[in-house]
Amino acid sequence: MKGHVLGPVRVEGDGGGRVCGDSKAAGLFALLVTSPGCRCTRKEIAEVLWDGDENAGGRVDRVVSDLRKQLGREVVPHGGRSGYCTLRVPEGGVDLLRFRDGVARAAGLSHPERFEQLGVALEEWDGDEPLRGLTESGLHLRREALRAELMAAVYARLDAAWRSRQEKWLREETEKWFERAPELPQIFRFYLLAHDDLPERRRERLIKGWTKRNGKPDADLQSAIDQVRGVAHRPGGTLLPPVPDQLPGSRRRPVGQDELIRSLVEAVCEEQDAGNLALVLISGMAGVGKSTVAHHLARRLRERFPDGVLYAGLNGFADGDVRPAEPDEVLDGFLAALPPYTAVTGPESKSNALRSALAHRSVLIVLDDALNAQQVLPLLPGDGTCAVIITSRNDLLRLQSERKVLFRKMEPLQEADALEVLQEKVSAEDRAKYAQAFSDLVRLCGRLPLALAVVARLLEGGARPLRTTPALAREMKEERAKLDTLHLPEHELSVRAALNCSVRVLGEEARLLLWQLAVHPGPSASWEAVMDLGRAVGEGTRTDRALTELVAANLVELRGDRYGLHDLVRAFARQHVQPGSESETAYLERATVRQVLEHQLHNVRACDRVLDHERTLPIGEPDGVTVTDPAEPGQAMAFLDEEYAAVQRGIRLAIGQGIERYEWLLSMALVTYQWRRRFLDDALKNLRYAADAAESAAAPVDCAMVYRMLAGTQWRLGKYDAAVGHLRRAVRLSEEDHSEAGRLSLARSLHRLGITLRKQGDRTGAEEALCQALELCREVSDSVGEAATLNALGALHHDQGDHERALRRCADALCVVERTVERSGLADVLFTLAKVHLTRSERDEAVSLYRRACDIYREQENWPNEDKARLLFADVLVSVGNSEEAVRELERVIVLRELMGGKGVREVRELLERLR
C-alpha cells in the first residue's frame, strides 16, 4: 500500500485498488491515518464525514465497505462487535507515518545528526496543504493539526541547524521561510539569529514592524531579539551556576511511544508558556516502560529548562531489600545542587527551601518509581515555569486530587511495536522464517516491554539460538514455565520480581481479590461479578475498596466498565499470591469457582429468558449473586456480547473441573445467543460436553432438551443426518416420561424432527412427525409450539405445491402466535406466509410480510434469520421494480454477514454492483 495525506489524499492498494480526490473513501482514509492507532469509532466517522447528520449509520457502513474493497480486508479488517474501524498500515506505507517516524528518530540525537534526520523526515512533505481537496469541516481541524505538526518539525530543524552551526543553510532556509510566512514568531526568531550581522537600523526596523503587525514577542523570540542586540537575558529565570544535569542515560529505546512522548512534550510546553508548573504523572503496570518514556521525554524537554535537570530514583517498587527513598534524603540531594540552601534542616524547612530555590528558576525534575503521593508531595515546586515528570506503578490518586496533573496511563505495546522489540536485531530473512514463532512470543509476553526485553536478551545473548524460537514459544505456553523463562536476574530483568514488588505493598483484602481474579477464568469481569467474588470469602469484605486499590496499582486493567488481569499478572497471582494454607486455599478456590459460575449461570439465564420465553431450565433461584434484568432482546444480546468470552471460559472451567451443574446448564442457557450470533462451532463443542453431563445429572426431559439444542446446532451447520440422530434420541428420552412435561418435551422433539426430515427431503416422515407434534401441543396447551408446528406444516405443503393448504396452515399459525408474546415465532410465520403469497403472485402482500419479518428479526438481533429474510426480500423488491429499497436491504445483508465472519459477502456485493 502507498498512501499520501501530506498534500492531495491518494492511496493505492497492493491489489490495484485506488482511492483519491475528495471522495468519502479518501476522507475516511485520511481520518484513519490521522487518528491514534489508525482507528476510530463509527460515531467519529459519522461526525467527521457527515457533520450534523444523525442518520449516517448506513453511509458509514458503505464508505468502510468501499475502502475495504479498494485496499483489501487485510488493510481494513472487519471490526466485529468492537465498533471500531481500523487501518492496518504496512511499515512505510503512508507519508505521514514515515514523517512521524523520522521525527521520532531525531529525538535524543546530537544536533548535527538531528538536523540530518529531520531533513529526511521533512522530505515527505513538499510544502503543499495537508489533506488538500477534502472539504469536510471535521477534517479541517485535522489539517490544521498536521500543519502545526509539520511546522514544529521545521522549527526543530532550524533549531538543530543553528545549534550545529549550519550557517549557510540556515541563512538560505530562513530567507525562504521569512518570505513565505514572516508573521510566524519562530520563523522570525531564526531569521534574526541567522542574520545577526544585519545593520542595526535595518534590524530594529524589522523588529518594530513585526511587533506592530503581530503583537508582543513570545519568550523565545524575545530571547533571540535580546541576543542579537547583545542583551544578557534568560527567559524563565536567572541562570545561576552551577547548572545541574542529573538525568541518567537510558539504554532502551521507547518503541511505540512516539505519540505519547509527543503529546506530553506539547502539554508541558503549553503549561510552561502559560507560566504554569507542568506536573506529569506516567503510571502503568510493572515493566510497561514508564522509566524509559520518562527519560526520553526529559531529554526532549531539557533545552527548555535553562536552570538544569534534577533526578531522583525513589525506589518505590525496588526489588530485594532496597527501601523506598525518604523525601528528606531526596531534598538533601536537590538542595545541594541549588545553592545557597544546603544548610537547611528539617523536612518541612527543606521542602520550603526547595520551593524558594525554584521560584525564580526554570528546572526540570524527574521523580522515577514513586511509591505514593506522600513520597512525592514534599519534592514539588510551587507555581512557576518548572516541570516535574513522575513515574509510578500507582495512579497516585491523592496527588491527582490535590494538584493539576498531566496524567497518562501506559498500556502494553501494539502488536507491530512488540514485534519490533523482539526483531530489532533479526534479519529480514529470519523474521520471515520464524514469523509465527515471533507472533506467538508477542502474545505470550502480553506485549509487555519488560517481558519482550527478556526474550530479546535470550535470543540476542546466545542463551537461545534463533532456530529454537518455535521451541521457546511452545515452552512458554505452560503458565509456570512462562514466568521461569522471563526471569533473568543476572541482567536485572525479571517479570516475576517486578510483579512481586507491586504485589507486596498491597493490603490484605486487595491481595485476596487479586488471587480470586486470577482464579476467575477471565478474560474480564463486570463490576457486579467482581463484587460477587467478595461473597465467596464471607461477610465484611470491602471488595469495592480492594478493587479500587488494585486498579490504582495498575494490577487490574479497567477497559470500559470491565475489569481484567494481564496474562502475566494472572500467572503470577495464581502461583505466588496464596491466600492461606493449602487446605484454606483449596477451600477458597472451590468457593470462588462456584461463585463465578453461579453468577454467570443466573445472569446468562436471565438473558436467555428474554430471548426464548418457552425454555425451562432447572437452575433454581439465585443464591448470593447479583443478577441483571434485561427488558428486551437488544439489552440481553448486548449484555451477552460483553460477557461471552468470560462465559465461554467459565464453561471450559466447569468442564475442566467436572462440575456437571454448570457443564450442561450454562451451555444450555447460552445456546440461543450463540445461534443468533452464529457462534455455532462454540455451541457444538459446549453441547457435546453438556449432553454427557446431562445424561448422568439431568432428568430425561431435560436431557432430551440438550439433544434438541445439539440437533438445532447441527441443523444450522447443514449437518442434517447428525441432527436427526440427536432428535431421535430426544424423542426416546421424552417418551420415558409420561407426565405433562414429558408430553411437552415429546411434542417439541417431534416438531424439530419433522422440520429436519423436511430438509432431508423425507416429506412423508416430516408430515407424520409434525402431525403428532401438533396433536401433543394442543393436548398440553402449548400455543407457541402449536403455531411453530402449523407453520412447519405450511412450509411443507408449500414444498408440495399445495399452496391453498399451505396458506390455511400459515393463517392458522398466525392466529395462534399473535395471542402469545413469542416475537421470533411470529417472524417465522410471517416469513413462510410471504413465500406462499409470492408463489401465488401476490407480490404486494409478500412485500409487506417480508418487511414485517425482517423488522422483527432485527429487533430480536437474530442475525442469521434476518440475513436470510432480507436476501429473499431484496429479490422480491427487484421483481416489483423497487431497486432502491433492494439496495438498502442488500447493504444491510453485507453488514450482517461481516458481523458473522464475512462468509458470502462477495456474492452480495456482486448483486449490489448489478443493481447500482
Side-chain angles (χ1 to χ4, degrees):
M1 187 190 81
K2 296 180 180 179
H4 305 270
V5 295
L6 299 180
V9 177
R10 63 188 191 280
V11 58
E12 298 178 9
D14 292 340
R18 297 186 65 186
V19 172
C20 58
D22 59 354
S23 66
K24 290 296 183 185
L28 175 59
F29 176 76
L31 176 61
L32 291 170
V33 168
T34 57
S35 295
C38 290
R39 75 171 193 165
C40 51
T41 64
R42 291 167 47 83
K43 181 180 179 183
E44 289 169 335
I45 296 171
E47 289 175 347
V48 172
L49 299 187
W50 289 279
D51 186 21
D53 188 344
E54 297 179 356
N55 300 306
R59 295 178 180 178
V60 171
D61 293 334
R62 203 173 309 138
V63 72
V64 172
S65 177
D66 289 345
L67 189 62
R68 184 178 294 122
K69 181 178 179 181
Q70 295 302 323
L71 302 185
R73 295 178 61 85
E74 298 79 12
V75 178
V76 189
H78 189 268
R81 300 192 302 272
S82 69
Y84 281 95
C85 178
T86 303
L87 188 71
R88 289 181 179 168
V89 181
E91 185 174 352
V94 177
D95 54 3
L96 172 61
L97 302 184
R98 293 194 299 271
F99 161 77
R100 287 176 171 172
D101 183 62
V103 171
R105 291 179 186 278
L109 298 178
S110 65
H111 297 310
E113 291 171 333
R114 183 151 51 98
F115 168 74
E116 296 296 338
Q117 179 60 47
L118 288 170
V120 172
L122 283 164
E123 285 177 2
E124 300 294 339
W125 181 47
D126 62 3
D128 202 347
E129 191 71 23
L131 312 186
R132 183 159 66 83
L134 299 180
T135 58
E136 289 82 0
S137 58
L139 289 172
H140 173 71
L141 297 176
R142 301 289 175 107
R143 181 181 296 111
E144 291 302 313
L146 288 179
R147 170 65 70 170
E149 188 176 342
L150 291 163
M151 289 307 300
V154 169
Y155 301 152
R157 193 176 190 218
L158 293 173
D159 181 75
W162 178 58
R163 294 177 184 276
S164 56
R165 301 185 182 279
Q166 304 283 339
E167 296 175 3
K168 183 175 183 294
W169 181 90
L170 189 62
R171 288 177 74 92
E172 293 172 355
E173 195 71 9
T174 55
E175 285 279 6
K176 290 186 291 187
W177 275 106
F178 190 56
E179 184 177 343
R180 290 168 57 184
E183 74 285 355
L184 297 177
Q186 289 283 39
I187 295 299
F188 188 41
R189 172 197 174 202
F190 286 110
Y191 179 84
L192 289 175
L193 293 173
H195 297 79
D196 59 354
D197 56 349
L198 285 172
E200 182 179 349
R201 290 183 62 182
R202 186 183 173 196
R203 182 189 68 216
E204 293 304 316
R205 189 164 59 248
L206 284 172
I207 293 170
K208 183 177 180 181
W210 193 94
T211 304
K212 184 176 180 180
R213 291 188 303 271
N214 303 294
K216 183 180 178 182
D218 62 18
D220 287 336
L221 177 54
Q222 186 61 54
S223 175
I225 292 171
D226 291 341
Q227 183 170 335
V228 297
R229 284 173 171 170
V231 178
H233 178 72
R234 272 273 192 184
T238 304
L239 181 59
L240 296 175
V243 177
D245 189 3
Q246 301 177 349
L247 188 66
S250 177
R251 290 171 294 175
R252 297 181 191 169
R253 188 165 61 91
V255 176
Q257 304 300 344
D258 297 340
E259 181 60 34
L260 171 62
I261 293 173
R262 180 165 46 244
S263 71
L264 284 171
V265 167
E266 291 173 357
V268 170
C269 292
E270 184 177 339
E271 290 295 322
Q272 188 190 37
D273 290 343
N276 300 327
L277 169 69
L279 187 54
V280 174
L281 171 59
I282 303 171
S283 82
M285 69 176 291
V288 81
K290 302 177 293 296
S291 297
T292 301
V293 166
H295 289 183
H296 282 262
L297 173 62
R299 288 220 294 271
R300 288 276 299 272
L301 289 168
R302 71 199 310 170
E303 290 182 2
R304 289 189 62 98
F305 296 89
D307 299 321
V309 181
L310 299 174
Y311 173 87
L314 300 183
N315 301 324
F317 297 90
D319 192 16
D321 297 328
V322 179
R323 60 179 178 80
E326 293 291 337
D328 193 54
E329 299 168 352
V330 177
L331 285 166
D332 285 340
F334 284 176
L335 292 174
L338 299 169
Y341 297 96
T342 53
V344 178
T345 60
E348 187 173 346
S349 297
K350 291 177 184 178
S351 187
N352 291 335
L354 179 66
R355 287 192 290 273
S356 298
L358 298 176
H360 301 293
R361 285 180 166 95
S362 188
V363 172
L364 176 63
I365 303 174
V366 180
L367 303 175
D368 196 13
D369 194 26
L371 176 63
N372 50 39
Q374 294 92 310
Q375 192 183 28
V376 167
L377 286 168
L379 309 177
L380 301 183
D383 296 331
T385 58
C386 292
V388 184
I389 302 170
I390 304 164
T391 72
S392 179
R393 300 185 193 181
N394 196 290
D395 288 348
L396 306 185
L397 300 179
R398 178 185 164 192
L399 176 67
Q400 293 193 58
S401 69
E402 294 185 13
R403 304 293 290 266
K404 178 184 177 183
V405 174
L406 301 170
F407 176 60
R408 300 291 190 276
K409 179 174 289 199
M410 288 182 61
E411 307 287 350
L413 298 174
Q414 296 295 317
E415 183 172 359
D417 296 320
L419 279 170
E420 183 180 345
V421 174
L422 283 186
Q423 299 176 337
E424 187 174 11
K425 298 182 181 180
V426 176
S427 69
E429 181 182 354
D430 285 334
R431 290 185 184 193
K433 185 175 181 180
Y434 302 112
Q436 184 58 54
F438 278 121
S439 181
D440 290 342
L441 287 170
V442 163
R443 176 178 53 80
L444 291 164
C445 289
R447 309 188 312 280
L448 186 71
L450 174 59
L452 295 165
V454 176
V455 173
R457 177 59 63 90
L458 283 172
L459 296 175
E460 292 169 13
R464 301 286 303 234
L466 199 59
R467 68 175 181 275
T468 67
T469 304
L472 178 61
R474 289 193 296 272
E475 289 169 23
M476 288 183 61
K477 288 180 181 177
E478 200 281 313
E479 190 173 80
R480 185 174 295 276
K482 184 189 300 185
L483 289 178
D484 290 341
T485 300
L486 299 176
H487 180 65
L488 293 179
E490 66 275 16
H491 296 292
E492 297 183 353
L493 292 171
S494 171
V495 171
R496 181 190 299 146
L499 291 173
N500 183 59
C501 295
S502 292
V503 170
R504 70 185 182 187
V505 301
L506 295 175
E508 183 179 344
E509 289 187 345
R511 285 173 61 88
L512 175 57
L513 181 58
L514 180 66
W515 175 81
Q516 286 186 291
L517 287 169
V519 172
H520 188 288
S524 65
S526 65
W527 165 268
E528 292 78 11
V530 178
M531 293 304 103
D532 278 352
L533 289 178
R535 300 181 181 184
V537 296
E539 297 297 325
T541 303
R542 290 301 306 269
T543 309
D544 54 345
R545 290 186 180 178
L547 182 59
T548 299
E549 184 179 348
L550 290 173
V551 172
N554 287 294
L555 286 164
V556 167
E557 301 171 338
L558 176 58
R559 296 281 185 275
D561 59 355
R562 297 187 67 79
Y563 301 86
L565 297 181
H566 189 281
D567 285 347
L568 295 175
V569 175
R570 182 183 301 279
F572 177 84
R574 286 282 297 174
Q575 295 177 37
H576 301 290
V577 186
Q578 300 299 320
S581 65
E582 275 193 39
S583 60
E584 289 171 328
T585 298
Y587 169 78
L588 284 173
E589 183 165 357
R590 287 192 297 272
T592 297
V593 168
R594 185 262 176 201
Q595 192 74 359
V596 169
L597 296 177
E598 196 71 6
H599 175 94
Q600 290 185 346
L601 178 59
H602 284 283
N603 278 278
V604 174
R605 178 58 181 143
C607 295
D608 186 55
R609 286 193 190 97
V610 177
L611 302 177
D612 187 340
H613 300 287
E614 300 305 305
R615 179 162 42 238
T616 58
L617 290 171
I619 289 174
E621 293 302 312
D623 178 20
V625 295
T626 308
V627 182
T628 188
D629 185 23
E632 44 85 23
Q635 291 179 9
M637 294 296 284
F639 180 89
L640 291 173
D641 284 341
E642 290 289 330
E643 294 287 339
Y644 183 69
V647 175
Q648 274 292 101
R649 291 195 183 188
I651 292 171
R652 301 270 82 75
L653 178 63
I655 292 169
Q657 298 198 5
I659 312 176
E660 290 179 337
R661 167 177 167 81
Y662 306 105
E663 277 188 68
W664 79 275
L665 287 173
L666 196 48
S667 298
M668 286 294 293
L670 190 61
V671 71
T672 301
Y673 167 83
Q674 290 174 314
W675 286 354
R676 294 190 183 183
R677 287 293 187 256
R678 203 157 180 81
F679 296 147
L680 300 180
D681 290 338
D682 287 348
L684 189 62
K685 187 182 297 184
N686 293 349
L687 288 168
R688 282 171 173 161
Y689 284 106
D692 290 341
E695 287 278 7
S696 61
V701 293
D702 293 325
C703 196
M705 178 170 51
V706 178
Y707 281 103
R708 286 198 299 274
M709 297 302 104
L710 248 178
T713 306
Q714 297 279 24
W715 192 91
R716 286 163 173 79
L717 287 166
K719 299 176 181 178
Y720 303 116
D721 289 342
V724 166
H726 293 314
L727 289 168
R728 294 201 187 283
R729 174 65 176 154
V731 168
R732 290 194 297 272
L733 285 165
S734 301
E735 289 173 339
E736 292 178 15
D737 189 328
H738 302 291
S739 68
E740 183 172 323
R743 293 197 302 279
L744 177 60
S745 176
L746 181 58
R748 291 176 176 175
S749 302
L750 287 168
H751 164 246
R752 285 161 178 75
L753 178 60
I755 62 176
T756 308
L757 291 171
R758 175 190 165 229
K759 274 288 185 181
Q760 289 186 306
D762 182 0
R763 293 175 179 171
T764 302
E767 186 165 9
E768 181 182 341
L770 290 171
C771 288
Q772 291 181 55
L774 181 61
E775 183 179 342
L776 284 165
C777 286
R778 286 171 172 167
E779 180 185 328
V780 297
S781 301
D782 177 17
S783 298
V784 172
E786 180 184 354
T789 306
L790 286 167
N791 184 54
L793 284 166
L796 185 62
H797 297 324
H798 177 263
D799 294 343
Q800 295 165 339
D802 191 347
H803 302 141
E804 292 299 328
R805 196 175 176 197
L807 192 62
R808 288 196 300 274
R809 288 290 198 185
C810 291
D812 290 345
L814 188 60
C815 289
V816 175
V817 78
E818 284 181 333
R819 297 197 298 267
T820 72
V821 296
E822 182 50 49
R823 299 280 289 166
S824 290
L826 173 60
D828 292 341
V829 174
L830 294 172
F831 179 71
T832 307
L833 261 175
K835 289 200 294 184
V836 175
H837 280 289
L838 185 62
T839 306
R840 289 161 53 94
S841 299
E842 296 163 351
R843 285 186 170 83
D844 290 344
E845 185 67 22
V847 165
S848 175
L849 291 165
Y850 271 127
R851 186 175 287 118
R852 287 180 62 194
C854 289
D855 289 345
I856 294 173
Y857 285 138
R858 183 166 189 168
E859 162 206 307
Q860 297 290 306
E861 296 210 23
N862 192 331
W863 292 347
N865 283 8
E866 185 188 351
D867 168 84
K868 177 178 65 175
R870 288 192 189 277
L871 192 61
L872 290 173
F873 184 28
D875 190 49
V876 175
L877 289 168
V878 172
S879 72
V880 299
N882 191 347
S883 296
E884 185 176 344
E885 188 174 356
V887 165
R888 290 198 294 273
E889 294 301 316
L890 291 175
E891 286 175 341
R892 173 64 181 167
V893 170
I894 287 175
V895 171
L896 288 167
R897 292 194 174 185
E898 288 185 334
L899 287 169
M900 293 187 291
K903 185 178 180 181
V905 168
R906 178 181 296 177
E907 293 85 344
V908 183
R909 285 193 190 283
E910 291 172 356
L911 286 174
L912 265 176
E913 291 298 326
R914 291 198 291 269
L915 285 176
R916 284 173 172 165

